[in-house]
Amino acid sequence: MRRKAFDTILIAGGLVLTIVLLVAGGLLMWGYSFANSNVHDQLAQQKVFFPAKGSPSLAPATIGPFLNQYAGKQLLTGPEAKAYADHFIGVHVTEIAGGKTYAQVSTAAQADPTNTVLQKQVQSLFQGQTLRGLLLEAYGFWKIGQIAFLAAIASFILAGVMLILSAVGFAHVRRVSDTDEVLVSHTIRTAQPIAA
């Protein structure tokens, strides 16, 4: 195969790959933007605020170190949703029934349907765990958006590398003669002994 044709095929492949990587990067950036704005907009509609600075609900050691940085702020981002879910709702939910889960309390309430304390605990645990789960889902979507952002950056960098390699290949193909071959085989002749 002629060297010029081989190089041209490689350059074309590099340019196609560059376009694919740019399109992928653009789609990943769109995914990142969609996830971030959607999480922000959905959380903003709920109007959830962290307790104000100095609030007694931020005092326990299981809550304060994680939430003091957000004191008084509206919950709007994935990391804020995770902090609120794990270190505010999660802590308070464990206090409802002495650390028992919704499933445990619900089973006990079904066995004793007239026990109003258990019925209230079931309702509180269900509401708390549901809200906690929804906030953690918002965090999950936010995290997917962050991964898409990193993948987009990697895609754009790889597209740049491929574009540079294609340009180098184009410069090289201009210097190659029309008669150069790829993988030219050379036959080596060995001297044959003269028969006596």
Side-chain angles (χ1 to χ4, degrees), residues 126-164:
F126 179 76
Q127 290 172 339
Q129 290 292 10
T130 300
L131 179 56
R132 182 171 181 263
L134 292 171
L135 289 172
L136 289 174
E137 190 172 332
Y139 169 74
F141 274 102
W142 174 85
K143 185 57 105 176
I144 289 170
Q146 299 304 303
I147 293 168
F149 177 71
L150 295 174
I153 290 172
S155 185
F156 289 137
I157 290 170
L158 289 173
V161 169
M162 286 309 302
L163 189 61
I164 291 168

PDB file of all heavy atoms in Angstrom, residues 126-164:
ATOM      1  N   PHE A 126     -42.243   7.000  58.105  1.00  0.00           N
ATOM      2  CA  PHE A 126     -42.512   6.928  56.677  1.00  0.00           C
ATOM      3  C   PHE A 126     -42.252   8.281  56.012  1.00  0.00           C
ATOM      4  O   PHE A 126     -41.574   8.363  54.985  1.00  0.00           O
ATOM      5  CB  PHE A 126     -43.952   6.481  56.421  1.00  0.00           C
ATOM      6  CG  PHE A 126     -44.296   6.403  54.970  1.00  0.00           C
ATOM      7  CD1 PHE A 126     -43.852   5.342  54.200  1.00  0.00           C
ATOM      8  CD2 PHE A 126     -45.040   7.410  54.354  1.00  0.00           C
ATOM      9  CE1 PHE A 126     -44.146   5.273  52.845  1.00  0.00           C
ATOM     10  CE2 PHE A 126     -45.335   7.351  53.012  1.00  0.00           C
ATOM     11  CZ  PHE A 126     -44.895   6.278  52.252  1.00  0.00           C
ATOM     12  N   GLN A 127     -42.743   9.329  56.605  1.00  0.00           N
ATOM     13  CA  GLN A 127     -42.546  10.663  56.032  1.00  0.00           C
ATOM     14  C   GLN A 127     -41.064  11.063  56.040  1.00  0.00           C
ATOM     15  O   GLN A 127     -40.552  11.580  55.049  1.00  0.00           O
ATOM     16  CB  GLN A 127     -43.375  11.700  56.801  1.00  0.00           C
ATOM     17  CG  GLN A 127     -44.861  11.565  56.570  1.00  0.00           C
ATOM     18  CD  GLN A 127     -45.679  12.474  57.477  1.00  0.00           C
ATOM     19  OE1 GLN A 127     -45.203  12.924  58.520  1.00  0.00           O
ATOM     20  NE2 GLN A 127     -46.931  12.717  57.093  1.00  0.00           N
ATOM     21  N   GLY A 128     -40.394  10.797  57.146  1.00  0.00           N
ATOM     22  CA  GLY A 128     -38.982  11.153  57.247  1.00  0.00           C
ATOM     23  C   GLY A 128     -38.118  10.377  56.272  1.00  0.00           C
ATOM     24  O   GLY A 128     -37.270  10.957  55.581  1.00  0.00           O
ATOM     25  N   GLN A 129     -38.344   9.072  56.194  1.00  0.00           N
ATOM     26  CA  GLN A 129     -37.537   8.254  55.286  1.00  0.00           C
ATOM     27  C   GLN A 129     -37.847   8.572  53.823  1.00  0.00           C
ATOM     28  O   GLN A 129     -36.952   8.539  52.970  1.00  0.00           O
ATOM     29  CB  GLN A 129     -37.751   6.760  55.550  1.00  0.00           C
ATOM     30  CG  GLN A 129     -37.156   6.286  56.858  1.00  0.00           C
ATOM     31  CD  GLN A 129     -35.636   6.328  56.869  1.00  0.00           C
ATOM     32  OE1 GLN A 129     -34.976   6.867  55.991  1.00  0.00           O
ATOM     33  NE2 GLN A 129     -35.047   5.769  57.915  1.00  0.00           N
ATOM     34  N   THR A 130     -39.105   8.905  53.529  1.00  0.00           N
ATOM     35  CA  THR A 130     -39.462   9.270  52.159  1.00  0.00           C
ATOM     36  C   THR A 130     -38.762  10.564  51.760  1.00  0.00           C
ATOM     37  O   THR A 130     -38.155  10.653  50.679  1.00  0.00           O
ATOM     38  CB  THR A 130     -40.989   9.418  52.009  1.00  0.00           C
ATOM     39  OG1 THR A 130     -41.607   8.161  52.333  1.00  0.00           O
ATOM     40  CG2 THR A 130     -41.366   9.821  50.599  1.00  0.00           C
ATOM     41  N   LEU A 131     -38.830  11.577  52.613  1.00  0.00           N
ATOM     42  CA  LEU A 131     -38.158  12.845  52.310  1.00  0.00           C
ATOM     43  C   LEU A 131     -36.651  12.639  52.201  1.00  0.00           C
ATOM     44  O   LEU A 131     -36.007  13.158  51.287  1.00  0.00           O
ATOM     45  CB  LEU A 131     -38.474  13.898  53.369  1.00  0.00           C
ATOM     46  CG  LEU A 131     -37.808  15.261  53.176  1.00  0.00           C
ATOM     47  CD1 LEU A 131     -38.147  15.843  51.808  1.00  0.00           C
ATOM     48  CD2 LEU A 131     -38.221  16.222  54.277  1.00  0.00           C
ATOM     49  N   ARG A 132     -36.109  11.852  53.090  1.00  0.00           N
ATOM     50  CA  ARG A 132     -34.670  11.569  53.046  1.00  0.00           C
ATOM     51  C   ARG A 132     -34.310  10.889  51.728  1.00  0.00           C
ATOM     52  O   ARG A 132     -33.325  11.253  51.074  1.00  0.00           O
ATOM     53  CB  ARG A 132     -34.278  10.688  54.223  1.00  0.00           C
ATOM     54  CG  ARG A 132     -32.805  10.387  54.289  1.00  0.00           C
ATOM     55  CD  ARG A 132     -32.440   9.693  55.613  1.00  0.00           C
ATOM     56  NE  ARG A 132     -31.020   9.450  55.632  1.00  0.00           N
ATOM     57  CZ  ARG A 132     -30.450   8.296  55.289  1.00  0.00           C
ATOM     58  NH1 ARG A 132     -31.186   7.255  54.950  1.00  0.00           N
ATOM     59  NH2 ARG A 132     -29.135   8.157  55.317  1.00  0.00           N
ATOM     60  N   GLY A 133     -35.101   9.917  51.316  1.00  0.00           N
ATOM     61  CA  GLY A 133     -34.851   9.209  50.059  1.00  0.00           C
ATOM     62  C   GLY A 133     -34.932  10.135  48.853  1.00  0.00           C
ATOM     63  O   GLY A 133     -34.114  10.046  47.929  1.00  0.00           O
ATOM     64  N   LEU A 134     -35.908  11.038  48.856  1.00  0.00           N
ATOM     65  CA  LEU A 134     -36.045  11.977  47.739  1.00  0.00           C
ATOM     66  C   LEU A 134     -34.844  12.928  47.662  1.00  0.00           C
ATOM     67  O   LEU A 134     -34.354  13.236  46.575  1.00  0.00           O
ATOM     68  CB  LEU A 134     -37.349  12.767  47.864  1.00  0.00           C
ATOM     69  CG  LEU A 134     -38.629  11.943  47.668  1.00  0.00           C
ATOM     70  CD1 LEU A 134     -39.856  12.770  48.025  1.00  0.00           C
ATOM     71  CD2 LEU A 134     -38.724  11.429  46.244  1.00  0.00           C
ATOM     72  N   LEU A 135     -34.387  13.386  48.817  1.00  0.00           N
ATOM     73  CA  LEU A 135     -33.213  14.269  48.831  1.00  0.00           C
ATOM     74  C   LEU A 135     -31.958  13.528  48.373  1.00  0.00           C
ATOM     75  O   LEU A 135     -31.134  14.086  47.642  1.00  0.00           O
ATOM     76  CB  LEU A 135     -33.006  14.866  50.223  1.00  0.00           C
ATOM     77  CG  LEU A 135     -34.037  15.911  50.655  1.00  0.00           C
ATOM     78  CD1 LEU A 135     -33.836  16.284  52.115  1.00  0.00           C
ATOM     79  CD2 LEU A 135     -33.971  17.139  49.767  1.00  0.00           C
ATOM     80  N   LEU A 136     -31.819  12.279  48.775  1.00  0.00           N
ATOM     81  CA  LEU A 136     -30.663  11.495  48.337  1.00  0.00           C
ATOM     82  C   LEU A 136     -30.742  11.186  46.841  1.00  0.00           C
ATOM     83  O   LEU A 136     -29.712  11.096  46.160  1.00  0.00           O
ATOM     84  CB  LEU A 136     -30.538  10.211  49.157  1.00  0.00           C
ATOM     85  CG  LEU A 136     -30.100  10.420  50.603  1.00  0.00           C
ATOM     86  CD1 LEU A 136     -30.154   9.113  51.387  1.00  0.00           C
ATOM     87  CD2 LEU A 136     -28.715  11.045  50.693  1.00  0.00           C
ATOM     88  N   GLU A 137     -31.951  11.063  46.312  1.00  0.00           N
ATOM     89  CA  GLU A 137     -32.107  10.878  44.868  1.00  0.00           C
ATOM     90  C   GLU A 137     -31.673  12.138  44.125  1.00  0.00           C
ATOM     91  O   GLU A 137     -31.022  12.065  43.083  1.00  0.00           O
ATOM     92  CB  GLU A 137     -33.556  10.536  44.540  1.00  0.00           C
ATOM     93  CG  GLU A 137     -33.743  10.102  43.109  1.00  0.00           C
ATOM     94  CD  GLU A 137     -35.129   9.573  42.848  1.00  0.00           C
ATOM     95  OE1 GLU A 137     -35.776   9.044  43.769  1.00  0.00           O
ATOM     96  OE2 GLU A 137     -35.576   9.690  41.694  1.00  0.00           O
ATOM     97  N   ALA A 138     -32.021  13.298  44.674  1.00  0.00           N
ATOM     98  CA  ALA A 138     -31.560  14.560  44.073  1.00  0.00           C
ATOM     99  C   ALA A 138     -30.030  14.610  44.081  1.00  0.00           C
ATOM    100  O   ALA A 138     -29.406  15.026  43.100  1.00  0.00           O
ATOM    101  CB  ALA A 138     -32.144  15.751  44.826  1.00  0.00           C
ATOM    102  N   TYR A 139     -29.433  14.175  45.190  1.00  0.00           N
ATOM    103  CA  TYR A 139     -27.973  14.133  45.265  1.00  0.00           C
ATOM    104  C   TYR A 139     -27.409  13.183  44.206  1.00  0.00           C
ATOM    105  O   TYR A 139     -26.405  13.491  43.550  1.00  0.00           O
ATOM    106  CB  TYR A 139     -27.522  13.687  46.666  1.00  0.00           C
ATOM    107  CG  TYR A 139     -26.052  13.380  46.733  1.00  0.00           C
ATOM    108  CD1 TYR A 139     -25.105  14.405  46.720  1.00  0.00           C
ATOM    109  CD2 TYR A 139     -25.594  12.066  46.787  1.00  0.00           C
ATOM    110  CE1 TYR A 139     -23.751  14.123  46.769  1.00  0.00           C
ATOM    111  CE2 TYR A 139     -24.244  11.777  46.835  1.00  0.00           C
ATOM    112  CZ  TYR A 139     -23.325  12.814  46.827  1.00  0.00           C
ATOM    113  OH  TYR A 139     -21.978  12.534  46.857  1.00  0.00           O
ATOM    114  N   GLY A 140     -28.058  12.033  44.016  1.00  0.00           N
ATOM    115  CA  GLY A 140     -27.607  11.063  43.022  1.00  0.00           C
ATOM    116  C   GLY A 140     -27.612  11.643  41.614  1.00  0.00           C
ATOM    117  O   GLY A 140     -26.663  11.473  40.851  1.00  0.00           O
ATOM    118  N   PHE A 141     -28.678  12.359  41.268  1.00  0.00           N
ATOM    119  CA  PHE A 141     -28.737  12.983  39.949  1.00  0.00           C
ATOM    120  C   PHE A 141     -27.673  14.070  39.812  1.00  0.00           C
ATOM    121  O   PHE A 141     -27.068  14.228  38.755  1.00  0.00           O
ATOM    122  CB  PHE A 141     -30.129  13.557  39.673  1.00  0.00           C
ATOM    123  CG  PHE A 141     -31.070  12.532  39.113  1.00  0.00           C
ATOM    124  CD1 PHE A 141     -32.028  11.941  39.911  1.00  0.00           C
ATOM    125  CD2 PHE A 141     -30.984  12.151  37.790  1.00  0.00           C
ATOM    126  CE1 PHE A 141     -32.878  10.984  39.406  1.00  0.00           C
ATOM    127  CE2 PHE A 141     -31.836  11.197  37.264  1.00  0.00           C
ATOM    128  CZ  PHE A 141     -32.791  10.606  38.069  1.00  0.00           C
ATOM    129  N   TRP A 142     -27.449  14.823  40.888  1.00  0.00           N
ATOM    130  CA  TRP A 142     -26.399  15.834  40.867  1.00  0.00           C
ATOM    131  C   TRP A 142     -25.041  15.183  40.607  1.00  0.00           C
ATOM    132  O   TRP A 142     -24.243  15.675  39.809  1.00  0.00           O
ATOM    133  CB  TRP A 142     -26.380  16.598  42.194  1.00  0.00           C
ATOM    134  CG  TRP A 142     -25.242  17.554  42.312  1.00  0.00           C
ATOM    135  CD1 TRP A 142     -25.182  18.839  41.855  1.00  0.00           C
ATOM    136  CD2 TRP A 142     -23.964  17.298  42.913  1.00  0.00           C
ATOM    137  NE1 TRP A 142     -23.958  19.392  42.135  1.00  0.00           N
ATOM    138  CE2 TRP A 142     -23.191  18.470  42.782  1.00  0.00           C
ATOM    139  CE3 TRP A 142     -23.407  16.195  43.538  1.00  0.00           C
ATOM    140  CZ2 TRP A 142     -21.895  18.564  43.263  1.00  0.00           C
ATOM    141  CZ3 TRP A 142     -22.110  16.278  44.020  1.00  0.00           C
ATOM    142  CH2 TRP A 142     -21.373  17.461  43.883  1.00  0.00           C
ATOM    143  N   LYS A 143     -24.795  14.051  41.284  1.00  0.00           N
ATOM    144  CA  LYS A 143     -23.513  13.346  41.133  1.00  0.00           C
ATOM    145  C   LYS A 143     -23.344  12.835  39.704  1.00  0.00           C
ATOM    146  O   LYS A 143     -22.248  12.917  39.132  1.00  0.00           O
ATOM    147  CB  LYS A 143     -23.439  12.184  42.132  1.00  0.00           C
ATOM    148  CG  LYS A 143     -22.114  11.466  42.157  1.00  0.00           C
ATOM    149  CD  LYS A 143     -20.969  12.386  42.456  1.00  0.00           C
ATOM    150  CE  LYS A 143     -20.449  12.234  43.837  1.00  0.00           C
ATOM    151  NZ  LYS A 143     -19.266  13.075  44.083  1.00  0.00           N
ATOM    152  N   ILE A 144     -24.416  12.335  39.098  1.00  0.00           N
ATOM    153  CA  ILE A 144     -24.358  11.894  37.704  1.00  0.00           C
ATOM    154  C   ILE A 144     -23.976  13.073  36.808  1.00  0.00           C
ATOM    155  O   ILE A 144     -23.183  12.939  35.877  1.00  0.00           O
ATOM    156  CB  ILE A 144     -25.697  11.262  37.275  1.00  0.00           C
ATOM    157  CG1 ILE A 144     -25.862   9.902  37.960  1.00  0.00           C
ATOM    158  CG2 ILE A 144     -25.775  11.104  35.758  1.00  0.00           C
ATOM    159  CD1 ILE A 144     -27.243   9.299  37.813  1.00  0.00           C
ATOM    160  N   GLY A 145     -24.540  14.239  37.098  1.00  0.00           N
ATOM    161  CA  GLY A 145     -24.192  15.445  36.350  1.00  0.00           C
ATOM    162  C   GLY A 145     -22.712  15.789  36.481  1.00  0.00           C
ATOM    163  O   GLY A 145     -22.064  16.181  35.501  1.00  0.00           O
ATOM    164  N   GLN A 146     -22.161  15.637  37.679  1.00  0.00           N
ATOM    165  CA  GLN A 146     -20.737  15.924  37.893  1.00  0.00           C
ATOM    166  C   GLN A 146     -19.859  14.953  37.106  1.00  0.00           C
ATOM    167  O   GLN A 146     -18.839  15.344  36.534  1.00  0.00           O
ATOM    168  CB  GLN A 146     -20.394  15.848  39.390  1.00  0.00           C
ATOM    169  CG  GLN A 146     -21.133  16.840  40.245  1.00  0.00           C
ATOM    170  CD  GLN A 146     -20.935  18.267  39.784  1.00  0.00           C
ATOM    171  OE1 GLN A 146     -19.821  18.757  39.684  1.00  0.00           O
ATOM    172  NE2 GLN A 146     -22.023  18.943  39.479  1.00  0.00           N
ATOM    173  N   ILE A 147     -20.264  13.690  37.074  1.00  0.00           N
ATOM    174  CA  ILE A 147     -19.510  12.693  36.299  1.00  0.00           C
ATOM    175  C   ILE A 147     -19.583  13.023  34.815  1.00  0.00           C
ATOM    176  O   ILE A 147     -18.587  12.924  34.091  1.00  0.00           O
ATOM    177  CB  ILE A 147     -20.042  11.274  36.601  1.00  0.00           C
ATOM    178  CG1 ILE A 147     -19.722  10.892  38.056  1.00  0.00           C
ATOM    179  CG2 ILE A 147     -19.469  10.247  35.628  1.00  0.00           C
ATOM    180  CD1 ILE A 147     -20.428   9.665  38.556  1.00  0.00           C
ATOM    181  N   ALA A 148     -20.770  13.457  34.355  1.00  0.00           N
ATOM    182  CA  ALA A 148     -20.911  13.855  32.947  1.00  0.00           C
ATOM    183  C   ALA A 148     -20.001  15.040  32.628  1.00  0.00           C
ATOM    184  O   ALA A 148     -19.408  15.100  31.544  1.00  0.00           O
ATOM    185  CB  ALA A 148     -22.372  14.200  32.640  1.00  0.00           C
ATOM    186  N   PHE A 149     -19.865  15.971  33.574  1.00  0.00           N
ATOM    187  CA  PHE A 149     -18.992  17.132  33.370  1.00  0.00           C
ATOM    188  C   PHE A 149     -17.541  16.693  33.197  1.00  0.00           C
ATOM    189  O   PHE A 149     -16.841  17.146  32.283  1.00  0.00           O
ATOM    190  CB  PHE A 149     -19.136  18.100  34.545  1.00  0.00           C
ATOM    191  CG  PHE A 149     -18.233  19.295  34.459  1.00  0.00           C
ATOM    192  CD1 PHE A 149     -18.462  20.284  33.524  1.00  0.00           C
ATOM    193  CD2 PHE A 149     -17.152  19.431  35.315  1.00  0.00           C
ATOM    194  CE1 PHE A 149     -17.630  21.393  33.436  1.00  0.00           C
ATOM    195  CE2 PHE A 149     -16.316  20.527  35.241  1.00  0.00           C
ATOM    196  CZ  PHE A 149     -16.556  21.515  34.294  1.00  0.00           C
ATOM    197  N   LEU A 150     -17.078  15.796  34.067  1.00  0.00           N
ATOM    198  CA  LEU A 150     -15.699  15.305  33.974  1.00  0.00           C
ATOM    199  C   LEU A 150     -15.476  14.531  32.677  1.00  0.00           C
ATOM    200  O   LEU A 150     -14.437  14.659  32.025  1.00  0.00           O
ATOM    201  CB  LEU A 150     -15.361  14.437  35.181  1.00  0.00           C
ATOM    202  CG  LEU A 150     -15.345  15.161  36.539  1.00  0.00           C
ATOM    203  CD1 LEU A 150     -15.134  14.171  37.668  1.00  0.00           C
ATOM    204  CD2 LEU A 150     -14.295  16.251  36.564  1.00  0.00           C
ATOM    205  N   ALA A 151     -16.486  13.732  32.295  1.00  0.00           N
ATOM    206  CA  ALA A 151     -16.378  12.983  31.039  1.00  0.00           C
ATOM    207  C   ALA A 151     -16.352  13.933  29.846  1.00  0.00           C
ATOM    208  O   ALA A 151     -15.650  13.682  28.862  1.00  0.00           O
ATOM    209  CB  ALA A 151     -17.540  11.999  30.916  1.00  0.00           C
ATOM    210  N   ALA A 152     -17.104  15.033  29.915  1.00  0.00           N
ATOM    211  CA  ALA A 152     -17.102  16.021  28.834  1.00  0.00           C
ATOM    212  C   ALA A 152     -15.729  16.662  28.692  1.00  0.00           C
ATOM    213  O   ALA A 152     -15.213  16.821  27.578  1.00  0.00           O
ATOM    214  CB  ALA A 152     -18.170  17.092  29.093  1.00  0.00           C
ATOM    215  N   ILE A 153     -15.120  17.010  29.812  1.00  0.00           N
ATOM    216  CA  ILE A 153     -13.772  17.603  29.771  1.00  0.00           C
ATOM    217  C   ILE A 153     -12.785  16.620  29.143  1.00  0.00           C
ATOM    218  O   ILE A 153     -11.992  16.991  28.273  1.00  0.00           O
ATOM    219  CB  ILE A 153     -13.325  18.033  31.182  1.00  0.00           C
ATOM    220  CG1 ILE A 153     -14.139  19.244  31.650  1.00  0.00           C
ATOM    221  CG2 ILE A 153     -11.834  18.353  31.203  1.00  0.00           C
ATOM    222  CD1 ILE A 153     -13.905  19.624  33.085  1.00  0.00           C
ATOM    223  N   ALA A 154     -12.856  15.362  29.579  1.00  0.00           N
ATOM    224  CA  ALA A 154     -11.964  14.340  29.015  1.00  0.00           C
ATOM    225  C   ALA A 154     -12.204  14.189  27.517  1.00  0.00           C
ATOM    226  O   ALA A 154     -11.254  14.064  26.733  1.00  0.00           O
ATOM    227  CB  ALA A 154     -12.169  13.007  29.728  1.00  0.00           C
ATOM    228  N   SER A 155     -13.456  14.222  27.109  1.00  0.00           N
ATOM    229  CA  SER A 155     -13.796  14.089  25.689  1.00  0.00           C
ATOM    230  C   SER A 155     -13.238  15.249  24.877  1.00  0.00           C
ATOM    231  O   SER A 155     -12.680  15.053  23.784  1.00  0.00           O
ATOM    232  CB  SER A 155     -15.315  13.999  25.541  1.00  0.00           C
ATOM    233  OG  SER A 155     -15.671  13.754  24.213  1.00  0.00           O
ATOM    234  N   PHE A 156     -13.359  16.467  25.408  1.00  0.00           N
ATOM    235  CA  PHE A 156     -12.824  17.632  24.700  1.00  0.00           C
ATOM    236  C   PHE A 156     -11.295  17.589  24.623  1.00  0.00           C
ATOM    237  O   PHE A 156     -10.706  17.942  23.597  1.00  0.00           O
ATOM    238  CB  PHE A 156     -13.287  18.937  25.359  1.00  0.00           C
ATOM    239  CG  PHE A 156     -14.742  19.236  25.148  1.00  0.00           C
ATOM    240  CD1 PHE A 156     -15.516  19.696  26.190  1.00  0.00           C
ATOM    241  CD2 PHE A 156     -15.339  19.058  23.913  1.00  0.00           C
ATOM    242  CE1 PHE A 156     -16.862  19.990  25.998  1.00  0.00           C
ATOM    243  CE2 PHE A 156     -16.681  19.338  23.707  1.00  0.00           C
ATOM    244  CZ  PHE A 156     -17.447  19.802  24.756  1.00  0.00           C
ATOM    245  N   ILE A 157     -10.649  17.143  25.692  1.00  0.00           N
ATOM    246  CA  ILE A 157      -9.185  17.026  25.681  1.00  0.00           C
ATOM    247  C   ILE A 157      -8.742  15.996  24.649  1.00  0.00           C
ATOM    248  O   ILE A 157      -7.822  16.239  23.856  1.00  0.00           O
ATOM    249  CB  ILE A 157      -8.643  16.676  27.085  1.00  0.00           C
ATOM    250  CG1 ILE A 157      -8.811  17.872  28.021  1.00  0.00           C
ATOM    251  CG2 ILE A 157      -7.187  16.224  27.019  1.00  0.00           C
ATOM    252  CD1 ILE A 157      -8.531  17.569  29.477  1.00  0.00           C
ATOM    253  N   LEU A 158      -9.422  14.839  24.628  1.00  0.00           N
ATOM    254  CA  LEU A 158      -9.074  13.807  23.649  1.00  0.00           C
ATOM    255  C   LEU A 158      -9.334  14.290  22.225  1.00  0.00           C
ATOM    256  O   LEU A 158      -8.567  13.969  21.302  1.00  0.00           O
ATOM    257  CB  LEU A 158      -9.851  12.522  23.934  1.00  0.00           C
ATOM    258  CG  LEU A 158      -9.418  11.760  25.181  1.00  0.00           C
ATOM    259  CD1 LEU A 158     -10.370  10.603  25.457  1.00  0.00           C
ATOM    260  CD2 LEU A 158      -8.000  11.252  25.034  1.00  0.00           C
ATOM    261  N   ALA A 159     -10.403  15.060  22.035  1.00  0.00           N
ATOM    262  CA  ALA A 159     -10.677  15.626  20.708  1.00  0.00           C
ATOM    263  C   ALA A 159      -9.543  16.557  20.295  1.00  0.00           C
ATOM    264  O   ALA A 159      -9.105  16.539  19.128  1.00  0.00           O
ATOM    265  CB  ALA A 159     -12.008  16.372  20.710  1.00  0.00           C
ATOM    266  N   GLY A 160      -9.046  17.357  21.224  1.00  0.00           N
ATOM    267  CA  GLY A 160      -7.921  18.242  20.935  1.00  0.00           C
ATOM    268  C   GLY A 160      -6.672  17.464  20.569  1.00  0.00           C
ATOM    269  O   GLY A 160      -5.949  17.820  19.620  1.00  0.00           O
ATOM    270  N   VAL A 161      -6.407  16.386  21.308  1.00  0.00           N
ATOM    271  CA  VAL A 161      -5.239  15.548  21.017  1.00  0.00           C
ATOM    272  C   VAL A 161      -5.368  14.933  19.627  1.00  0.00           C
ATOM    273  O   VAL A 161      -4.412  14.933  18.834  1.00  0.00           O
ATOM    274  CB  VAL A 161      -5.064  14.452  22.100  1.00  0.00           C
ATOM    275  CG1 VAL A 161      -4.046  13.414  21.680  1.00  0.00           C
ATOM    276  CG2 VAL A 161      -4.674  15.078  23.429  1.00  0.00           C
ATOM    277  N   MET A 162      -6.558  14.416  19.301  1.00  0.00           N
ATOM    278  CA  MET A 162      -6.766  13.807  17.983  1.00  0.00           C
ATOM    279  C   MET A 162      -6.621  14.840  16.869  1.00  0.00           C
ATOM    280  O   MET A 162      -6.095  14.534  15.806  1.00  0.00           O
ATOM    281  CB  MET A 162      -8.140  13.142  17.912  1.00  0.00           C
ATOM    282  CG  MET A 162      -8.247  11.844  18.688  1.00  0.00           C
ATOM    283  SD  MET A 162      -6.941  10.652  18.334  1.00  0.00           S
ATOM    284  CE  MET A 162      -7.113  10.430  16.580  1.00  0.00           C
ATOM    285  N   LEU A 163      -7.082  16.053  17.112  1.00  0.00           N
ATOM    286  CA  LEU A 163      -6.962  17.110  16.108  1.00  0.00           C
ATOM    287  C   LEU A 163      -5.484  17.450  15.866  1.00  0.00           C
ATOM    288  O   LEU A 163      -5.052  17.604  14.719  1.00  0.00           O
ATOM    289  CB  LEU A 163      -7.736  18.348  16.543  1.00  0.00           C
ATOM    290  CG  LEU A 163      -7.884  19.442  15.500  1.00  0.00           C
ATOM    291  CD1 LEU A 163      -8.638  18.922  14.283  1.00  0.00           C
ATOM    292  CD2 LEU A 163      -8.615  20.635  16.090  1.00  0.00           C
ATOM    293  N   ILE A 164      -4.712  17.524  16.939  1.00  0.00           N
ATOM    294  CA  ILE A 164      -3.271  17.791  16.810  1.00  0.00           C
ATOM    295  C   ILE A 164      -2.585  16.651  16.057  1.00  0.00           C
ATOM    296  O   ILE A 164      -1.782  16.883  15.148  1.00  0.00           O
ATOM    297  CB  ILE A 164      -2.629  18.015  18.195  1.00  0.00           C
ATOM    298  CG1 ILE A 164      -3.112  19.343  18.789  1.00  0.00           C
ATOM    299  CG2 ILE A 164      -1.110  17.973  18.110  1.00  0.00           C
ATOM    300  CD1 ILE A 164      -2.776  19.528  20.254  1.00  0.00           C
TER     301      ILE A 164
END
